[in-house]
């Protein structure tokens, strides 16, 4: 049985997967965006999300050696003949729409060699997350004679010197606070200008962790404050506005806290003429109906808004 904290982590990631699935099923995701999933568990939601992208003929990157969660042990412990989820996952992984991703680690050379022998995944087909200085030498050894399909690297000169082709900028641009109420200290701030300069800087694309951040937090708890994070364009830059509840002295009545945050969001959208997306419209609908979808949906709708907004921008400028 899962602990309550672990269960909460999985539930929260399910909402991220639901966001990706709803976007592809609703034709809201630009073809210029390829989502990256680092699975924390072999779940039905993961399988259904992969199925949706394959059925729509759209690309999706699945990290095959996730650094967190129980996905690795889930795959190793279950019996392929008895477990339908594992069998279905491996079947979907064979699709050319599911790109295989790998995070550079100590055993990366053995991992890549094994997958070439057993799974017929060529080195040139990998999507590599190369963001740890400790494994730069190993990366150069594995890919000495070719470059993977994509290589995600941080904005640092040592990585840029090493990876000359097919490089994608990967930076966590979200200024995450320890407590939701702390966002009240600075409710509007700069988020990113990567979309403006990535080509000029020699990158083939850009990526971030949206309003979720790169940290993996295994503990779950009821928040004192509800915070909604909405990215938006101002001039040519991306900024993020934080909408935080007012009654933040205890964990009681999260529905009321959500209503307080969405009231601020609704007023801000009206006053500033913010570009609408499906995610943003859903927040406003909840405010108007005084409905509460649960805290998981806050992340889902914020992520949907971010991806749709960036997709519209890319479709317009490229």
């Amino acid at each position: 049985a899962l602990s309550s904290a672990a269960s909460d982590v999985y539930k929260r990631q399910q909402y991220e997967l639901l966001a990706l699935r709803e976007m592809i099923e609703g034709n809201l995701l630009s073809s210029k965006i390829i989502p990256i999933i680092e699975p924390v568990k072999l779940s039905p939601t993961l399988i259904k999300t992969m199925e949706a992208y394959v059925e729509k003929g759209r690309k999706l990157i699945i990290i095959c050696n996730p650094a967190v969660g129980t996905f690795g042990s889930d795959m190793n412990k279950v019996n392929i003949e008895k477990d339908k989820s594992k069998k279905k996952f491996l079947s979907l992984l064979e699709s050319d729409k599911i790109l295989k991703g790998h995070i550079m680690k100590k055993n990366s050379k053995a991992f890549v060699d094994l997958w070439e022998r057993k799974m017929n995944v060529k080195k040139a087909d990998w999507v590599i997350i190369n963001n740890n200085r400790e494994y730069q030498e190993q990366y150069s050894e594995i890919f000495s004679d070719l470059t993977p399909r994509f290589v995600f690297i941080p904005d640092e000169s040592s990585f840029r010197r090493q990876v000359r082709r097919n490089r994608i900028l990967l930076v966590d641009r979200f200024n995450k606070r320890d407590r939701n109420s702390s966002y009240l200290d600075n409710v509007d701030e700069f988020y990113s200008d990567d979309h403006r300069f990535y080509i000029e800087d020699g990158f083939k694309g850009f990526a971030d962790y949206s309003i979720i951040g790169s940290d993996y937090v295994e503990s779950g708890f009821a928040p004192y404050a509800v915070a909604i994070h909405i990215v938006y364009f101002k001039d040519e830059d991306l900024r993020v506005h934080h909408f935080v509840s007012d009654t933040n002295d205890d964990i009681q009545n999260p529905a009321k806290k959500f209503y307080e945050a969405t009231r601020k969001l609704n007023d801000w959208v009206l006053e500033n003429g913010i570009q609408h997306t499906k995610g943003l419209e859903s927040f406003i609908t909840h405010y108007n109906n005084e409905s509460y979808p649960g805290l998981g949906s806050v992340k889902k709708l914020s992520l949907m808004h971010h991806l749709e907004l960036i997709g519209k921008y890319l479709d317009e400028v490229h």
Side-chain angles (χ1 to χ4, degrees):
L2 299 172
S3 70
S4 58
S7 295
D8 184 73
V9 169
Y10 297 142
K11 287 176 183 175
R12 282 184 280 128
Q13 203 221 24
Q14 301 309 304
Y15 282 97
E16 297 168 34
L17 294 173
L18 287 172
L20 296 179
R21 197 169 94 208
E22 288 185 24
M23 292 199 72
I24 202 67
E25 291 176 344
N27 297 316
L28 300 171
L29 189 68
S30 166
S31 61
K32 295 182 172 63
I33 292 180
I34 304 177
I36 306 171
I37 295 176
E38 182 179 359
V40 299
K41 184 185 181 185
L42 182 60
S43 69
T45 310
L46 172 65
I47 300 298
K48 290 177 181 177
T49 302
M50 294 171 67
E51 284 179 327
Y53 278 76
V54 171
E55 290 171 3
K56 288 282 189 177
R58 294 289 300 277
K59 289 184 173 63
L60 183 69
I61 299 170
I62 298 291
I63 302 298
C64 297
N65 66 330
V68 295
T70 64
F71 179 81
S73 58
D74 289 346
M75 291 294 291
N76 291 329
K77 289 179 181 178
V78 293
N79 186 300
I80 189 170
E81 297 302 324
K82 295 181 180 179
D83 191 283
K84 294 181 180 179
S85 292
K86 179 176 178 180
K87 192 171 183 179
K88 185 63 178 177
F89 175 82
L90 293 175
S91 174
L92 288 166
L93 205 60
E94 294 178 0
S95 169
D96 62 354
K97 302 304 176 186
I98 304 297
L99 308 184
K100 272 64 80 176
H102 178 82
I103 302 172
M104 288 301 300
K105 297 180 181 177
K106 287 182 179 180
N107 66 339
S108 285
K109 187 176 188 309
F111 187 98
V112 170
D113 289 343
L114 176 66
W115 275 62
E116 185 163 19
R117 293 197 312 271
K118 300 289 187 180
M119 305 287 286
N120 197 33
V121 180
K122 305 300 182 184
K123 290 181 182 179
D125 293 333
W126 280 106
V127 174
I128 300 296
I129 310 294
N130 180 24
N131 58 0
N132 190 321
R133 290 177 180 275
E134 296 296 323
Y135 309 126
Q136 283 185 301
E137 185 175 337
Q138 188 178 184
Y139 170 85
S140 296
E141 180 182 354
I142 298 171
F143 301 102
S144 59
D145 56 345
L146 53 83
T147 304
R149 183 188 296 249
F150 299 121
V151 189
F152 289 79
I153 63 172
D155 192 15
E156 298 178 20
S157 58
S158 62
F159 288 94
R160 290 194 297 269
R161 286 193 295 266
Q162 182 189 51
V163 180
R164 300 288 186 175
R165 299 174 58 247
N166 297 351
R167 64 190 187 192
I168 310 292
L169 178 64
L170 175 61
V171 183
D172 182 0
R173 295 300 188 190
F174 187 60
N175 184 16
K176 196 166 188 175
R177 279 34 169 226
D178 292 334
R179 298 177 301 172
N180 283 343
S181 59
S182 297
Y183 291 105
L184 287 168
D185 297 335
N186 188 14
V187 297
D188 193 279
E189 56 189 324
F190 176 82
Y191 181 80
S192 175
D193 57 8
D194 293 337
H195 56 283
R196 296 173 57 192
F197 301 112
Y198 74 97
I199 296 176
E200 179 182 322
D201 291 340
F203 291 95
K204 200 169 186 177
F206 63 94
D208 58 31
Y209 298 85
S210 188
I211 46 76
I212 298 166
S214 60
D215 293 338
Y216 175 75
V217 181
E218 293 195 355
S219 60
F221 55 89
Y224 279 73
V226 167
I228 301 171
H229 315 290
I230 297 295
V231 295
Y232 70 101
F233 284 104
K234 184 173 183 180
D235 298 325
E236 295 185 62
D237 291 334
L238 265 181
R239 298 183 65 83
V240 59
H241 200 100
H242 312 290
F243 305 92
V244 185
S245 55
D246 298 314
T247 53
N248 304 326
D249 294 330
D250 55 45
I251 62 174
Q252 303 302 313
N253 204 343
K256 180 182 179 183
K257 299 176 189 293
F258 176 75
Y259 180 78
E260 291 169 348
T262 53
R263 182 184 64 233
K264 294 178 181 180
L265 185 154
N266 180 72
D267 293 345
W268 177 78
V269 169
L270 291 174
E271 291 170 3
N272 295 278
I274 300 301
Q275 183 177 1
H276 277 222
T277 64
K278 180 67 174 179
L280 191 59
E281 289 171 356
S282 296
F283 275 123
I284 294 172
T285 297
H286 283 301
Y287 167 72
N288 289 329
N289 295 339
E290 297 187 26
S291 53
Y292 174 56
L295 291 177
S297 288
V298 173
K299 178 191 291 186
K300 183 188 79 169
L301 296 176
S302 297
L303 180 58
M304 289 176 65
H305 165 75
H306 188 178
L307 292 175
E308 185 179 352
L309 185 73
I310 296 299
K312 288 180 176 179
Y313 168 84
L314 293 173
D315 288 339
E316 288 176 2
V317 300
H318 294 295

